[in-house]
Amino acid sequence: MRVVFAGTPEFARVAMERLHAAGFEIPLVLTQPDRPAGRGMKLQASPVKQFALDRGIAVAQPRSLRLDGKFPHEAAAAREALQAAQPDVMVVAAYGLILPQWVLDLPRLGCLNIHASLLPRWRGAAPIHRAIEAGDARTGVTIMQMDAGLDTGDMLLVEALPITRADTTGVLHDRLADLGGRMIVEALELAACGGLRPEPQPAEGVTYAAKIDKAEATIDWRQPAAVIERRARAFSPAPGLATTLAGEAVKVWRVAAEAGAAAPGQVLSAGAEGIRVATGEGVLNLLELQRAGGKRLPAREFLQGFAVAPGQVFGAVAD
């Protein structure tokens, strides 16, 4: 089976590695254009591109696939490359571009998407973050037959994973990436023998996982401690939670919700075991923090360079 692969970040690279290891022929890879990254802001290839180049697989990086869009010449060149690749199927994982109908129709078996949620819950760009933020007890991976809608296609394979109280987006991402890699190999093996059974998504339970906006990182201390704790896990490793103390910006990375009450944002105690701050409901113990330009530090080390005393107030409460 000839498989064109379309993906960009590490989540997608894991799936492509599994397909390659399973012996599927990958004549072409589509991935996002190189982006500036790091302190020097040098152009950096995506994890998928790096994997493909290391194995001599052809790579295309159009800025758009719309033949009538802003970059029609790049879209036309991508169409020529796709036609020349003669794919039986396209596998898509966190690619980052909308696939127009001509792409969906080109492979003999269409386009299969690896989506990191139990559809129809958390359609959209940030399903892992939003599942943790919402306090979901489980998530998973859906292998979906793509159509023109936003994650609306028929489900082909579904498998669930529990979300633990310790899971951050980074930790859960890695588990879901491994699961997605295993499932897409299984899906293509079934497709090769006509064994896939498409199932329409339920009409009930649809939710959308909007892309994470940096503005969401600011802590509103009026929220319950349990809500802020989930957001801390959902926004790790990026963008983290943000607040201020004594006029200085502070990032908050790891926290624990506790019982207690006082004015929201007020420091109740500060020591080696953490910085306990009152919220709208309960207390949040800040366990790992970071000053602007500094390193992430456990509370004990953070306090050695940043004096925090009971009675101080964290952050301007969001309007």
Side-chain angles (χ1 to χ4, degrees):
M1 185 178 290
R2 293 172 64 82
V3 181
V4 165
F5 189 87
T8 299
E10 178 63 16
F11 183 89
R13 186 205 63 78
V14 172
M16 184 179 173
E17 182 178 10
R18 292 291 187 90
L19 291 171
H20 186 269
F24 289 98
E25 183 179 358
I26 306 175
L28 177 67
V29 163
L30 300 182
T31 191
Q32 286 277 322
D34 297 359
R35 306 290 190 203
R39 292 196 174 184
M41 294 301 286
K42 295 181 180 179
L43 288 178
Q44 184 169 319
S46 72
V48 164
K49 179 180 178 179
Q50 292 174 17
F51 183 87
L53 294 181
D54 288 345
R55 286 149 185 83
I57 300 171
V59 175
Q61 296 177 272
R63 285 174 286 180
S64 172
L65 290 168
R66 288 183 54 186
L67 297 170
D68 59 351
K70 289 179 62 177
F71 308 101
H73 298 298
E74 294 184 27
R79 181 172 63 175
E80 289 183 11
L82 279 165
Q83 290 171 335
Q86 298 182 315
D88 294 298
V89 66
M90 178 187 284
V91 171
V92 182
Y95 177 30
L97 287 185
I98 294 173
L99 302 189
Q101 194 64 45
W102 72 261
V103 178
L104 299 175
D105 294 340
L106 193 148
R108 177 174 62 87
L109 297 173
C111 300
L112 306 190
N113 179 243
I114 308 169
H115 187 76
S117 82
L118 301 175
L119 291 171
R121 186 163 177 79
W122 302 127
R123 294 173 178 171
I128 304 175
H129 303 74
R130 298 306 183 188
I132 293 176
E133 183 184 22
D136 290 1
R138 65 177 196 153
T139 185
V141 168
T142 304
I143 306 297
M144 174 188 65
Q145 186 80 49
M146 296 182 72
D147 61 16
L150 175 62
D151 299 328
T152 55
D154 289 348
M155 301 180 295
L156 303 172
L157 292 177
V158 181
E159 190 164 330
L161 281 180
I163 300 177
T164 75
R165 286 291 305 274
D167 280 337
T168 64
T169 287
V171 170
L172 190 55
H173 166 282
D174 292 350
R175 297 215 314 273
L176 290 168
D178 286 340
L179 177 60
R182 174 173 62 76
M183 289 175 64
I184 193 60
V185 169
E186 179 183 349
L188 293 191
E189 289 173 345
L190 287 169
C193 62
L196 286 177
R197 298 290 180 263
E199 181 180 338
Q201 294 185 32
E204 302 78 25
V206 176
T207 58
Y208 289 92
K211 184 178 179 181
I212 303 299
D213 190 311
K214 285 187 177 181
E216 296 180 69
T218 300
I219 297 174
D220 182 347
W221 295 100
R222 295 173 301 185
Q223 291 185 322
V227 170
I228 303 173
E229 186 268 341
R230 292 200 303 266
R231 288 168 60 82
R233 293 190 291 114
F235 293 179
S236 175
L241 291 183
T243 187
T244 57
L245 184 64
E248 183 172 337
V250 176
K251 284 266 194 177
V252 177
W253 291 105
R254 193 164 55 87
V255 303
E258 302 177 353
Q266 182 179 346
V267 176
L268 303 180
S269 64
E273 302 304 315
I275 302 169
R276 298 177 67 252
V277 184
T279 70
E281 181 182 321
V283 171
L284 201 67
N285 193 9
L286 313 186
L287 303 173
E288 188 177 53
L289 307 94
Q290 180 181 10
R291 298 178 75 168
K295 297 180 180 179
R296 292 170 59 160
L297 297 173
R300 178 196 302 269
E301 297 177 30
F302 179 84
L303 290 169
Q304 291 173 2
F306 195 124
V308 180
Q312 286 184 280
V313 178
F314 264 98
V317 175
D319 293 329

